[in-house]
Amino acid sequence: MPAFTEKVEQLLKKKNLIAPEMKIVVGVSGGADSVALLSVLNDLAPKYSLELYAAHLNHLLRREAGEDAAFVQKFAHSLGIPAFVGYARVSRLSRIYKLSIEDAGRRARYQFLRHVAKKVGAQRIAVGHHAGDQVETVIFHFLRGTGPAGISGIPLQNREVIRPLLGVSREEIEEFCRERGLEWRTDATNLTTEYMRNRIRVELLPYLRRFFNPQVDRAVLQLSDIIAEENEFLEGLAQYLLRKLGQKGRDGEIRIDLTDFLSLPLAVQRRLLRLLIKKSGAGLKDVGYQHYDNCISFLQESQAGGEMHLPHGNRLFKGSDYFWVSTGSKQDKPAVVQQIKRDLNIPGITEIPELGVTIQAEIKPYQENFYFPPENYQVCFDYDKIKLPLCVRTRQKGDRIRTFGLEGKKKLKKLFAELKIPLSERDFVPLVISDGEICWVVGYKRGAAAPVTEDTRRVLLLTAYFS
C-alpha cells in the first residue's frame, strides 16, 4: 500500500471516521485534493466494503466550470463510481443572502452534498480539506479576531462531514497524483489575491516561511491541535455546567442562576455564555469578543432586570435572580395568553394548562385556631363576603390592585416591578378576579378583598399548583 494511502487510512482508523459497509458521498471539485481523496477512498473501499458516490457542484461563476463538471464525471466513471452534478447560481445567492461569494459557494456546496447523501442514503460526506487549508484557516481566523474555536481550525469531523486529508500536505497530495498519473483541474481564482484567504496562501505564508520560520506550517498545525483538545475539554465543561445550573423557562429557554454564574472563572463565564447564545436559535454569527465582554459587565451590574441586544435578533434577558438568552422575535410576539379567562370551580379543581397552573378551591369552616397559609401559593378569603363567581385571567391594560395597608389602588405594572417579575413573564402571571377586582396575583400577592376575620364563618381556601 502506498505511503500516502496508509497515512490517510491511519487517520481514518485512529479517529473512527468510517465504519465497514458505509455509503460515502465524496465532494469532488476536480482539484488535486478532491481527485486524490476520491482515488484513495476507492483504494480503501474493498477493504472496508465502502460504497462511494462522487458529487460536483457547478457554481456557474466561470466559463470553464462546465469543463470541470465533465472532468469529474469522466474521472468518477473511470473508477466505476456514480457521479452527481448539481448547479447553483452562487452570485445570485450571494446577493440575496448578503454573503461573500466564498460563503455563498460554501453554503451551496454543503447543501448539495447533503442532498445527494440523503438521496443515496449515505452516512458520511467526505471533503478534501488538507493540512495546508488548516494552516490558512487558522491564520485567517487569527487575523480576523477569534477565540479557541477559531484557532482550532477546521474540525476533522462535523456531524456526517469528514475530512480524511487533514493529516497530509498539499505537496504530498500533488506527489500522490503525479505518481498515479492522475490529472486535475486548476481553478484560476485560487491564484488571485482578491480574496483574503488566497492572499494568506500566495503572499503571507511564503513571506513567513522565508523571513521568520521555515516550519511555520508545522507550528500553526501544532498550535491548532493543542487548542482543539483544550477547546473540546472546555466545551464539555460548559455542557456539564449548563446541565447542572440551567433550568427550563416557560418558553423553553434555559435560565441560569446569576449568583452561580458570577462565581465562575471569567473563562468559564464566556464559554457558558457562548453556549447559551449558540443554543438560542439565531446562533453565533457576528458575535464577538466585545459582545461577550458587554454581556458579562451587564450581568455584573447590581440593577435587576433589563435586556441587551445581540446580533441577528438574539437578546440577553436579566431577571432579579437569573438570566437567559432568547431570540427577539420570540419575546416580541404578542402573547396569546392575554385573552385567557377561566371560571374557577368552587369547590373543585380548575386546570389552566396555557398558564401552567392548576387551582384547587376548598370551603372550610372557620375555627379560632385556623391556620393562615402563606399568600404566595395559598390564600384564604371570607367565603360569605367574596363576590362570586371567581375567574382567572391574565393582565389587562390599566389593571390595578387594592392591597392591605394601602389607601386606594396600586397599578399592577408597578406591583410587578416591585416584585421583580421579569418583563417576559408578566403576561403569564395568573390573576384571580372577583367582581372585576384583582383579589390574588397567583404566586406573588394577595389583594385586600374579603379578609378572614373573627366574624368569618366559612373560609374559601385557594391553592395553586404550578407544573
Side-chain angles (χ1 to χ4, degrees):
M1 180 183 296
F4 182 87
T5 304
E6 189 174 345
K7 194 172 183 179
V8 173
E9 183 184 18
Q10 286 176 354
L11 182 65
L12 291 170
K13 290 168 64 177
K14 181 180 179 182
K15 299 297 183 179
N16 296 313
L17 298 182
I18 62 171
E21 299 184 356
M22 273 189 170
K23 294 181 178 181
I24 303 176
V25 171
V26 185
V28 187
S29 65
D33 46 9
S34 61
V35 166
L37 176 63
L38 188 62
S39 181
V40 76
L41 288 178
N42 189 56
D43 288 348
L44 297 172
K47 183 176 181 179
Y48 294 93
S49 301
L50 303 176
E51 195 171 326
L52 303 179
Y53 301 86
H56 173 88
L57 181 68
N58 185 338
H59 293 192
L60 300 173
L61 291 172
R62 299 175 294 112
R63 289 182 178 180
E64 60 270 25
E67 297 174 9
D68 292 344
F71 170 83
V72 170
Q73 286 179 303
K74 183 179 178 181
F75 175 60
H77 291 158
S78 72
L79 299 177
I81 296 172
F84 294 82
V85 174
Y87 300 87
R89 201 165 292 282
V90 170
S91 58
R92 183 170 179 271
L93 295 174
S94 174
R95 289 194 303 272
I96 292 173
Y97 297 106
K98 298 180 180 178
L99 298 169
S100 68
I101 291 292
E102 285 181 300
D103 286 339
R106 188 179 303 110
R107 286 194 184 188
R109 280 196 303 277
Y110 282 109
Q111 186 175 2
F112 171 65
L113 291 172
R114 289 190 170 99
H115 167 75
V116 175
K118 184 177 181 181
K119 185 173 183 178
V120 301
Q123 296 87 10
R124 291 286 186 271
I125 296 170
V127 292
H129 294 107
H130 51 74
D133 294 320
Q134 183 74 295
V135 172
E136 294 162 16
T137 298
V138 172
I139 293 177
F140 176 80
H141 288 164
F142 170 76
L143 294 175
R144 189 182 57 179
T146 189
I151 297 298
S152 299
I154 308 170
L156 192 60
Q157 181 173 4
N158 183 14
R159 292 184 295 178
E160 74 273 27
V161 178
I162 59 172
R163 299 174 172 89
L165 301 186
L166 272 185
V168 294
S169 67
R170 180 182 288 105
E171 291 74 23
E172 289 176 293
I173 288 170
E174 292 183 358
E175 183 182 352
F176 171 78
C177 289
R178 282 192 291 267
E179 289 177 352
R180 286 285 181 94
L182 300 174
E183 296 180 354
W184 66 85
R185 302 282 295 177
T186 299
D187 185 348
T189 60
N190 288 334
L191 303 176
T192 178
T193 54
E194 181 181 349
Y195 304 116
M196 182 176 176
R197 191 181 294 271
N198 287 1
R199 292 201 301 275
I200 291 172
R201 181 191 316 119
V202 176
E203 297 176 352
L204 180 58
L205 275 169
Y207 185 82
L208 291 174
R209 294 182 193 115
R210 181 179 178 185
F211 293 104
F212 289 89
N213 182 2
Q215 302 298 322
V216 66
D217 297 69
R218 186 172 68 179
V220 172
L221 289 171
Q222 288 174 347
L223 172 65
S224 172
D225 189 51
I226 291 168
I227 297 299
E229 294 291 338
E230 295 185 1
N231 185 59
E232 185 177 351
F233 168 77
L234 284 172
E235 193 70 11
L237 176 62
Q239 293 279 5
Y240 166 75
L241 289 171
L242 190 64
R243 291 193 299 269
K244 182 180 179 182
L245 304 179
Q247 295 183 351
K248 220 53 175 297
R250 192 187 300 272
D251 291 325
E253 74 278 9
I254 303 172
R255 302 188 170 200
I256 302 292
D257 184 275
L258 265 171
T259 303
D260 290 339
F261 177 81
L262 294 175
S263 69
L264 297 170
L266 179 59
V268 182
Q269 288 179 6
R270 286 195 187 116
R271 179 69 57 158
L272 189 54
L273 189 57
R274 182 180 186 274
L275 190 57
L276 275 175
I277 296 171
K278 185 178 180 180
K279 288 179 173 290
S280 68
L284 294 168
K285 182 174 172 55
D286 297 328
V287 180
Y289 171 85
Q290 197 60 52
H291 294 108
Y292 295 118
D293 197 46
N294 291 342
C295 286
I296 291 170
S297 297
F298 170 65
L299 295 175
Q300 288 172 338
E301 293 174 359
S302 58
Q303 182 179 354
E307 63 183 73
M308 175 172 284
H309 290 244
L310 295 166
H312 303 289
N314 266 335
R315 293 185 191 177
L316 173 68
F317 293 89
K318 179 184 177 186
S320 55
D321 300 312
Y322 46 81
F323 73 94
W324 68 100
V325 177
S326 186
T327 53
S329 58
K330 189 174 184 179
Q331 294 293 332
D332 292 340
K333 67 180 181 182
V336 179
V337 295
Q338 288 181 335
Q339 301 176 11
I340 286 177
K341 185 176 180 180
R342 294 281 190 281
D343 288 334
L344 282 183
N345 298 318
I346 301 176
I349 293 174
T350 306
E351 294 183 357
I352 312 171
E354 297 92 338
L355 300 178
V357 68
T358 298
I359 296 179
Q360 180 180 14
E362 301 172 87
I363 302 171
K364 295 177 176 289
Y366 176 73
Q367 299 173 0
E368 288 187 10
N369 61 349
F370 188 85
Y371 169 67
F372 287 89
E375 65 178 33
N376 285 2
Y377 298 101
Q378 280 189 319
V379 290
C380 293
F381 299 97
D382 188 319
Y383 179 69
D384 296 296
K385 292 183 178 179
I386 195 162
K387 295 179 181 178
L388 301 178
L390 301 185
C391 72
V392 176
R393 66 166 172 82
T394 49
R395 67 172 177 165
Q396 296 176 357
K397 188 176 182 179
D399 271 342
R400 293 175 178 266
I401 183 171
R402 183 167 56 94
T403 60
F404 290 115
L406 177 71
E407 292 185 9
K409 295 182 178 181
K410 176 183 291 188
K411 288 183 178 180
L412 186 64
K413 181 179 179 180
K414 184 175 180 182
L415 177 67
F416 280 175
E418 292 172 353
L419 295 172
K420 298 180 180 179
I421 301 175
L423 292 171
S424 61
E425 289 191 4
R426 295 180 185 183
D427 287 331
F428 298 90
V429 175
L431 306 173
V432 174
I433 310 296
S434 169
D435 192 31
E437 179 181 0
I438 298 173
C439 56
W440 186 23
V441 180
V442 181
Y444 293 98
K445 193 77 173 176
R446 185 204 194 281
V452 175
T453 67
E454 58 185 14
D455 297 325
T456 299
R457 291 182 300 134
R458 292 182 295 176
V459 172
L460 172 63
L461 175 64
L462 300 181
T463 306
Y465 302 94
F466 282 91
S467 58

